[in-house]
Amino acid sequence: MGVVVGRRRRWGVPVLLLAYLGYVGLGAGVLQALERPAEVRAARRLIQQRWELLANHTCLQGPALQRLIQGIIEAYKSGVTIQGNTTSLGRWDFSGSFFFSISAITTIGYGNLSPSTAAGRIFCILFALFGIPLNLVLMNEIGQLMLLGVQRSAHHLEEMFHWKIKAALLMKTCALVMGLLLFLLLPPLLFSNKEGWTYEESFYYSFITLSTIGFGDYVIGMNPDRTYPSWYKNVISLWILFGMAWLALIIKCCINLLESSSDFCQCNRKSIELLEDVMDDDKKNMTGLHSVETCNGKDTKAGGPGGCHTHTDSTEAL
């Protein structure tokens, strides 16, 4: 039975993962189609306003400067910033849309980027409505697969070295250390290199992201002065998926530990109550047996069955 369940889980995760990636890819494509034209229009409008200001105004005036500032703010909301005589695009390309889709259905919600078109907002609602349950199912399957791997490794160690408690404890410790390295300790080195953050800021971003808190004060790939490789956001998206599954498994283990300790305390209380009841019953039984022995002694001395009424009463009571 366990082998059948293991095979189903082993085949179920790749299928779910493909469905998950296909769903996120579909969302990224639709969001790119809906949001990219608005991003391009905002970029063109910002460049046009900038050149008009430089050509027509040798001395800046209040209304002209206010219009420029307003245009900059609106463009920034769409993910557009000025770099020299050009603008930076990239928040709504496919990798940016893919990362936004991941942050939406994982409920991280950084808040630094959102759809600016009505069609994009409506699609985002529908996309999250079906994507959030799919994300939860996939994370649960990945977490169970991780747990199954730890249990099987511990079982192999028990068979090889005849360990029992030590094997399970060793594998759980290894899984915890490997998870800390892969999801919390090593990724900040990459963020420090690509984003220019300190290790502390990168570690902070890692935990805030994987715990789905998502303050939005630190978000990858948003610095217009830096050039990011095309694989960067896609790899980080997968890191978020598997890291959230691992962290959810750790949180679940902590919850189980707290529940088991609570059950242990309740069992101790019940055991004490049961022991007290048994001791009371023993005292009552010992009293009854003492009465019976006394009566038996009297019967022997009297030489007749009617020599003691206590014997008859105790027998009836028993």
Side-chain angles (χ1 to χ4, degrees):
M1 185 67 180
V3 176
V4 175
V5 173
R7 288 178 180 175
R8 289 179 179 176
R9 195 174 299 282
R10 191 161 55 244
W11 284 106
V13 171
V15 173
L16 273 174
L17 184 59
L18 288 176
Y20 184 89
L21 293 176
Y23 187 79
V24 174
L26 174 64
V30 173
L31 287 170
Q32 182 183 13
L34 294 175
E35 296 296 327
R36 183 70 172 186
E39 183 183 32
V40 173
R41 288 195 299 269
R44 291 175 179 173
R45 185 166 56 249
L46 181 60
I47 289 293
Q48 182 179 0
Q49 290 176 354
R50 180 177 182 274
W51 282 113
E52 288 178 355
L53 182 66
L54 293 176
N56 299 327
H57 301 278
T58 57
C59 182
L60 288 177
Q61 298 178 0
L65 181 60
Q66 183 62 34
R67 285 196 299 270
L68 176 62
I69 293 174
Q70 188 64 33
I72 292 174
I73 293 174
E74 293 178 358
Y76 182 78
K77 290 180 179 179
S78 300
V80 179
T81 56
I82 293 180
Q83 289 180 319
N85 292 329
T86 61
T87 55
S88 64
L89 300 175
R91 293 193 179 185
W92 287 113
D93 57 3
F94 187 81
S95 62
S97 301
F98 190 90
F99 185 75
F100 174 81
S101 301
I102 288 285
S103 65
I105 64 176
T106 54
T107 67
I108 296 176
Y110 290 115
N112 66 308
L113 185 64
S114 60
S116 60
T117 62
R121 296 190 187 102
I122 294 174
F123 174 78
C124 190
I125 294 172
L126 298 175
F127 180 73
L129 183 64
F130 294 97
I132 292 174
L134 176 61
N135 177 76
L136 293 176
V137 171
L138 178 60
M139 283 200 303
N140 180 65
E141 289 294 324
I142 292 175
Q144 293 299 322
L145 189 63
M146 291 178 179
L147 184 60
L148 183 63
V150 172
Q151 292 174 348
R152 287 184 175 179
S153 300
H155 181 68
H156 289 321
L157 285 178
E158 291 177 5
E159 292 180 347
M160 292 176 61
F161 301 101
H162 302 288
W163 293 343
K164 292 183 179 180
I165 300 177
K166 291 183 178 180
L169 181 61
L170 178 62
M171 290 311 304
K172 289 179 180 178
T173 304
C174 291
L176 178 62
V177 173
M178 289 295 294
L180 285 173
L181 288 174
L182 290 176
F183 301 119
L184 285 178
L185 298 179
L186 293 180
L189 298 176
L190 176 63
F191 300 144
S192 298
N193 183 18
K194 297 298 180 182
E195 303 292 340
W197 300 337
T198 63
Y199 185 85
E200 177 191 357
E201 293 171 334
S202 301
F203 184 84
Y204 167 81
Y205 165 77
S206 299
F207 181 79
I208 293 299
T209 296
L210 296 184
S211 59
T212 70
I213 297 174
F215 289 127
D217 48 352
Y218 289 91
V219 184
I220 60 138
M222 298 299 169
N223 191 344
D225 298 327
R226 289 182 172 269
T227 303
Y228 301 99
S230 58
W231 52 265
Y232 182 56
K233 289 185 178 180
N234 297 330
V235 170
I236 299 305
S237 299
L238 295 178
W239 165 76
I240 290 174
L241 175 62
F242 286 92
M244 285 179 59
W246 172 80
L247 189 60
L249 186 62
I250 297 299
I251 294 174
K252 184 179 179 181
C253 290
C254 295
I255 293 173
N256 291 338
L257 182 63
L258 293 174
E259 290 178 349
S260 62
S261 63
S262 176
D263 294 338
F264 179 74
C265 294
Q266 291 179 0
C267 287
N268 279 342
R269 286 196 296 269
K270 291 181 180 178
S271 299
I272 293 172
E273 293 174 359
L274 182 61
L275 183 60
E276 291 177 350
D277 293 339
V278 171
M279 292 177 65
D280 292 339
D281 292 338
D282 288 343
K283 289 180 180 179
K284 293 178 182 178
N285 293 334
M286 289 298 292
T287 304
L289 289 174
H290 179 71
S291 300
V292 170
E293 290 175 355
T294 304
C295 291
N296 285 337
K298 289 182 179 181
D299 287 342
T300 304
K301 291 179 181 180
C308 183
H309 295 287
T310 309
H311 172 72
T312 304
D313 294 341
S314 299
T315 308
E316 291 177 357
L318 291 173

